[in-house]
């Protein structure tokens, strides 16, 4: 039987407030016609989806003690083992507004600031978890007090322990993290553009710069391209998935759902094609829902059937 255990590292959880409106008018009063408030942050989203799929998830990182209750309830609901380190202060709030055209506007606030002693505690915790787990996922942004170099150090330690490390971040965190050579990285187009320092203007550029990441020594480079699907480079060969058409309600969490699906494929030793088809279908469902939930089995099978995977 396959080892279904995974550790998700979420350094900067957030309370996600999502809202839908007809059109965002800057400088004017805007009225939201539907809204939702959930515990989030990229790592929390990944852990939630992975646990719903069937993984035995341990979630670690940092969480603000002042407003941790919403997160704790969600961890219990999904059977997530809570190894989050409580710190003084509140978790940040992310405001996400989607208009009738599907355009997403995000406003992210700051949360707690971490003392150096707390960082040492996480390093010790990861060292202990490495004795009993082989799959680790680092997903999301860095809170105040955590440097990208420190993040890269944690990744490097686990890689040197022979662990499978999946990595999803942006900006300086992504730049330093990829140099630690995780097993898989999953930038989206925006994050890949940030890494190369200029906008991407063609698919050829996406393939070129994705290959540059792989050339560092990273086995799997996955680039999520929104409605255009997902590109995955392994062993010098690109594969592409084309998702089924769905009614887009909210794109928040779609990338995190994709990461969870990719990790589930790794945990089960699925083929690249099967993993890509499953994770793309899962992410397609995510954009059709307001929260981060997996579809019923019948619907998921239908979405997988409607997802196309082929060589580039």
């Amino acid at each position: 039987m396959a080892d279904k255990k995974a550790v998700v590292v979420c350094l900067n959880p957030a309370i996600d407030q999502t809202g839908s409106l007809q059109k965002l008018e800057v400088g004017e009063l805007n009225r939201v016609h539907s809204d939702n408030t959930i515990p989030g942050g990229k790592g929390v989203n990944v852990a939630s989806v992975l646990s719903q799929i069937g993984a035995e998830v341990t979630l670690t990182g940092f969480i603000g003690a002042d407003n941790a209750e919403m997160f704790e309830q969600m961890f219990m609901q999904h059977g997530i083992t809570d190894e989050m380190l409580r710190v003084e202060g509140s978790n940040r709030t992310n405001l996400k507004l989607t208009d009738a055209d599907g355009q997403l506007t995000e406003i992210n606030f700051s949360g707690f600031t971490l003392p150096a002693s707390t960082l040492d505690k996480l390093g010790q915790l990861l060292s202990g978890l490495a004795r009993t787990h082989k799959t680790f996922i680092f997903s999301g942004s860095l809170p105040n007090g955590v440097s990208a170099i420190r993040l890269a150090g944690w990744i490097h330690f686990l890689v040197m322990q022979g662990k499978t490390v999946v990595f999803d971040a942006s900006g300086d965190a992504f730049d330093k993290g990829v140099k630690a050579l995780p097993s898989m990285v999953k930038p989206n187009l925006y994050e890949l553009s940030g890494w190369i320092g200029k906008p991407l203007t063609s698919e050829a550029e996406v393939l070129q710069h994705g290959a540059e990441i792989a050339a560092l020594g990273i086995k799997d480079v996955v680039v999520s391209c929104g409605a255009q699907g997902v590109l995955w480079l392994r062993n010098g060969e690109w594969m592409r998935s084309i998702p089924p058409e769905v009614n887009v309600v909210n794109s928040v969490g779609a990338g995190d759902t994709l990461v969870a699906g990719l990790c589930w494929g790794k945990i089960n030793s699925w083929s690249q094609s099967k993993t890509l088809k499953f994770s793309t279908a899962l992410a397609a469902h995510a954009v059709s829902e307001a929260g981060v939930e997996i579809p019923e089995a019948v619907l998921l099978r239908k979405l997988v059937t409607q997802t196309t995977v082929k060589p580039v």
Side-chain angles (χ1 to χ4, degrees):
M1 181 179 293
D3 180 358
K4 305 295 185 182
K5 295 189 294 185
V7 176
V8 180
V9 183
C10 181
L11 304 174
N12 202 17
I15 294 175
D16 286 338
Q17 291 186 309
T18 60
S20 300
L21 38 68
Q22 189 62 32
K23 182 180 180 182
L24 179 64
E25 300 287 355
V26 178
E28 302 291 336
L29 174 65
N30 291 270
R31 297 191 183 278
V32 172
H33 57 72
S34 64
D35 63 271
N36 192 30
T37 300
I38 58 173
K42 294 176 71 64
V44 170
N45 292 340
V46 172
S48 173
V49 175
L50 260 179
S51 64
Q52 291 177 67
I53 296 171
E56 299 174 25
V57 179
T58 296
L59 183 63
T60 191
F62 309 107
I63 189 168
D66 291 353
N67 57 352
E69 184 176 358
M70 181 185 297
F71 294 89
E72 293 165 348
Q73 291 176 350
M74 189 270 275
F75 300 160
M76 290 182 62
Q77 176 186 350
H78 292 308
I80 296 170
T81 300
D82 180 4
E83 291 285 356
M84 299 289 276
L85 296 172
R86 270 58 176 175
V87 298
E88 292 185 4
S90 299
N91 299 289
R92 63 200 173 101
T93 297
N94 289 343
L95 179 61
K96 304 171 187 292
L97 299 173
T98 304
D99 64 23
D101 295 327
Q103 180 170 286
L104 174 66
T105 300
E106 299 186 67
I107 303 171
N108 291 353
F109 295 87
S110 296
F112 49 72
T113 299
L114 297 169
S117 60
T118 307
L119 307 188
D120 294 336
K121 290 179 182 178
L122 180 60
Q124 295 166 5
L125 185 54
L126 290 173
S127 179
L129 290 169
R131 290 194 284 269
T132 54
H133 294 74
K134 66 179 183 180
T135 302
F136 288 76
I137 303 104
F138 286 78
S139 183
S141 62
L142 302 179
N144 298 322
V146 178
S147 70
I149 292 176
R150 175 69 75 133
L151 168 67
W154 289 326
I155 295 173
H156 177 72
F157 166 78
L158 292 167
V159 170
M160 290 297 99
Q161 298 292 313
K163 306 304 175 182
T164 296
V165 180
V166 178
F167 179 51
D168 182 19
S170 61
D172 193 38
F174 181 79
D175 180 57
K176 299 296 191 299
V178 296
K179 293 174 183 175
L181 305 183
S183 313
M184 171 183 279
V185 297
K186 194 228 58 79
N188 57 29
L189 293 176
Y190 174 79
E191 291 159 352
L192 184 58
S193 297
W195 184 69
I196 64 174
K198 65 176 184 178
L200 296 164
T201 59
S202 67
E203 182 179 282
E205 287 189 340
V206 175
L207 302 181
Q208 173 192 341
H209 296 300
E212 290 173 3
I213 295 176
L216 296 173
I218 296 174
K219 180 180 179 181
D220 292 299
V221 178
V222 180
V223 183
S224 53
C225 306
Q228 284 69 52
V230 181
L231 292 164
W232 183 346
L233 176 62
R234 172 185 282 181
N235 298 327
E237 300 291 335
W238 283 96
M239 293 195 74
R240 178 208 308 280
S241 66
I242 301 173
E245 291 188 12
V246 295
N247 179 37
V248 177
V249 173
N250 184 3
S251 62
V252 175
D256 308 327
T257 302
L258 177 68
V259 170
L262 293 168
C263 292
W264 188 237
K266 277 188 168 293
I267 288 170
N268 288 282
S269 300
W270 288 351
S271 68
Q272 181 184 7
S273 177
K274 180 177 180 179
T275 300
L276 185 54
K277 180 172 281 197
F278 174 82
S279 56
T280 300
L282 205 61
H285 175 266
V287 303
S288 68
E289 298 288 335
V292 184
E293 302 288 336
I294 67 169
E296 296 291 335
V298 173
L299 176 56
L300 179 56
R301 284 195 294 269
K302 179 180 179 181
L303 291 171
V304 169
T305 301
Q306 295 173 340
T307 301
T308 302
V309 171
K310 59 184 179 181
V312 175

